[in-house]
Amino acid sequence: MNLFVDEARQQHFSYPLHALRGVAAVIVLLSHIHMRIKEAYGDWALPPIFNGSGSVIFFFVLSGLVVGAALAKQELTFDRASTYLHRRFFRIIPLLFVTVTIGGLYLVLFNDSMTYSLYDDAYGDFSFAKFLAAYVGYSLKPNQPIWSIYIEIIASLLIPLMILTGTRIRNIVATAFLCIAFSLIPFEFKHHWNFYMFSFYMGLSILIWGKHLARWASSLPPFAFWTLIFLFATAFYCARILTTPTYGDLWIVYWETFTVTPLVAIIYYLPERFSLLNKRPFIFLGDISYSLYLTHWILLVLALNCVTTLMGTSNSSAIIFSAASLIVSFIVAYISYRKIELNGIKLGENLRTSNRQLQSYSP
């Protein structure tokens, strides 16, 4: 018996969490627009109100839950795990490949002649080795947000092992402490990926304890219920903004993981309380969230260079840059979702079907 498998079989797709993934991607976009505004229009910049880094922690917790639950709907076998990894590859890699290729070509052909760079030169010169490493998110120069994809790839490989720990509660607790111990290793892993495995495992663990929390929350009076939601959301979203931790601070990863995971659990098990997120605009944001996340960085530097070249760095230029960035980012995200993401998934399904057919005909 596996506790993750038993619970995952009873669950269905969560439209509210799908929608919130889109909202989180928009927050990342807004935080990067704000970053570019500070770079070119220093006096015009707003206070730091967009917690893009926290949104990434939300992505990790959500992936642990959603990806883990999808895999755990059946007993984990070698064939089941290989099909899962094949699907993850064609879900993640096609769009990553396209954005890294475009970003790399931009760096080679155009970046040196532009006023505003695609990436900070403090991280060293661009090289062919860094170009290749970017295809798994190891090097950031062609497209900065891909650091989280590197962590998603590692977590995708480990999620099957995480599910195997679900035979007993004590094994789950021990694995959670093992994730904590792993994050404390005094060695700087690339992108601090060891920090974030705990976030994925906490997301997966919602299958064990989330229903009990949701049942208790649903028994509260409406005012108390929504106060609880507000407190969790505020504690999660505002901590990084108020304390401004530096890159590599482990405590903020744990704070945001511990505060957002109960929120995710309640939404997952009480979707009827969050029916507003079932509206088509929110579902649309969820659909394009991955494309929006991966395509916007390159678009922002293109828009900034174009607008400042034509209009300088006036207040009106900043407004035009912000508006153009939002419009173009959503348009390109929708196109890449339809043409790259969906076709990449379809390609993977077709290849897997063809392989099964070949195996069935082999003597």
Side-chain angles (χ1 to χ4, degrees):
M1 183 184 73
N2 187 298
L3 299 174
F4 292 131
V5 174
D6 291 344
E7 182 59 33
R9 285 173 173 168
Q10 306 173 41
Q11 302 310 314
H12 302 285
F13 183 79
S14 173
Y15 283 101
L17 289 177
H18 179 69
L20 286 176
R21 181 192 283 115
V23 173
V26 172
I27 292 173
V28 173
L29 168 63
L30 293 173
S31 70
H32 288 158
I33 290 176
H34 184 246
M35 183 188 303
R36 289 297 184 179
I37 288 175
K38 287 176 63 177
E39 181 182 5
Y41 314 94
D43 295 336
W44 201 79
L46 297 170
I49 58 175
F50 304 115
N51 187 356
S53 297
S55 296
V56 176
I57 299 296
F58 171 77
F59 290 148
F60 292 161
V61 171
L62 189 59
S63 287
L65 171 61
V66 174
V67 176
L71 177 59
K73 284 186 180 295
Q74 301 176 23
E75 287 289 347
L76 196 58
T77 63
F78 178 81
D79 287 342
R80 175 78 172 151
S82 61
T83 298
Y84 152 78
L85 291 173
H86 189 274
R87 283 178 171 162
R88 288 299 286 166
F89 179 91
F90 283 96
R91 176 69 181 90
I92 293 172
I93 298 300
L95 185 59
L96 177 64
F97 179 88
V98 171
T99 58
V100 167
T101 300
I102 293 173
L105 292 174
Y106 178 89
L107 282 171
V108 171
L109 299 175
F110 304 109
N111 194 62
D112 288 345
S113 61
M114 296 294 177
T115 303
Y116 300 100
S117 177
L118 182 65
Y119 202 71
D120 192 340
D121 290 336
Y123 289 85
D125 295 331
F126 188 53
S127 65
F128 184 68
K130 289 181 178 180
F131 195 177
L132 292 180
Y135 284 112
V136 292
Y138 191 83
S139 169
L140 305 187
K141 290 185 76 69
N143 191 6
Q144 181 175 331
I146 63 176
W147 73 272
S148 67
I149 308 305
Y150 177 78
I151 295 170
E152 285 274 359
I153 291 171
I154 294 174
S156 295
L157 296 173
L158 294 179
I159 282 175
L161 299 179
M162 293 179 182
I163 291 173
L164 291 176
T165 68
T167 52
R168 295 181 180 181
I169 290 293
R170 68 185 182 189
N171 293 342
I172 295 170
V173 174
T175 304
F177 279 105
L178 183 63
C179 289
I180 294 173
F182 185 55
S183 70
L184 297 174
I185 293 175
F187 183 82
E188 193 162 310
F189 290 91
K190 187 66 176 180
H191 306 324
H192 298 293
W193 67 264
N194 57 315
F195 286 11
Y196 303 103
M197 293 306 105
F198 180 73
S199 300
F200 286 91
Y201 197 69
M202 280 295 292
L204 178 64
S205 74
I206 287 172
L207 292 172
I208 306 302
W209 55 266
K211 183 182 293 185
H212 304 289
L213 174 64
R215 187 179 294 121
W216 170 79
S218 67
S219 68
L220 296 174
F223 178 79
F225 175 85
W226 290 111
T227 299
L228 180 69
I229 296 300
F230 175 79
L231 290 175
F232 275 132
T234 302
F236 162 68
Y237 189 85
C238 294
R240 191 180 295 259
I241 293 173
L242 295 175
T243 60
T244 61
T246 60
Y247 178 70
D249 281 349
L250 178 58
W251 74 266
I252 190 65
V253 174
Y254 278 91
W255 176 268
E256 290 178 338
T257 298
F258 278 122
T259 51
V260 80
T261 303
L263 187 61
V264 170
I266 293 171
I267 296 171
Y268 186 63
Y269 283 103
L270 297 175
E272 67 280 0
R273 296 286 186 100
F274 303 89
S275 58
L276 175 65
L277 296 172
N278 293 336
K279 303 297 183 182
R280 183 57 205 166
F282 286 108
I283 300 303
F284 170 77
L285 290 180
D287 289 344
I288 67 167
S289 57
Y290 184 51
S291 284
L292 187 65
Y293 182 75
L294 276 193
T295 60
H296 76 272
W297 183 260
I298 300 168
L299 297 173
L300 295 188
V301 74
L302 287 171
L304 185 64
N305 280 294
C306 289
V307 171
T308 55
T309 298
L310 295 173
M311 303 182 62
T313 56
S314 62
N315 287 348
S316 59
S317 171
I319 295 172
I320 295 297
F321 162 71
S322 301
S325 296
L326 285 170
I327 293 169
V328 173
S329 293
F330 279 106
I331 292 173
V332 172
Y334 176 72
I335 294 172
S336 65
Y337 165 70
R338 300 285 298 181
K339 300 300 183 182
I340 301 173
E341 276 192 73
L342 294 183
N343 285 333
I345 294 170
K346 183 178 179 181
L347 173 63
E349 295 293 330
N350 290 340
L351 289 174
R352 194 165 54 256
T353 300
S354 299
N355 185 56
R356 283 199 298 263
Q357 291 173 345
L358 287 174
Q359 290 178 346
S360 65
Y361 288 126
S362 61

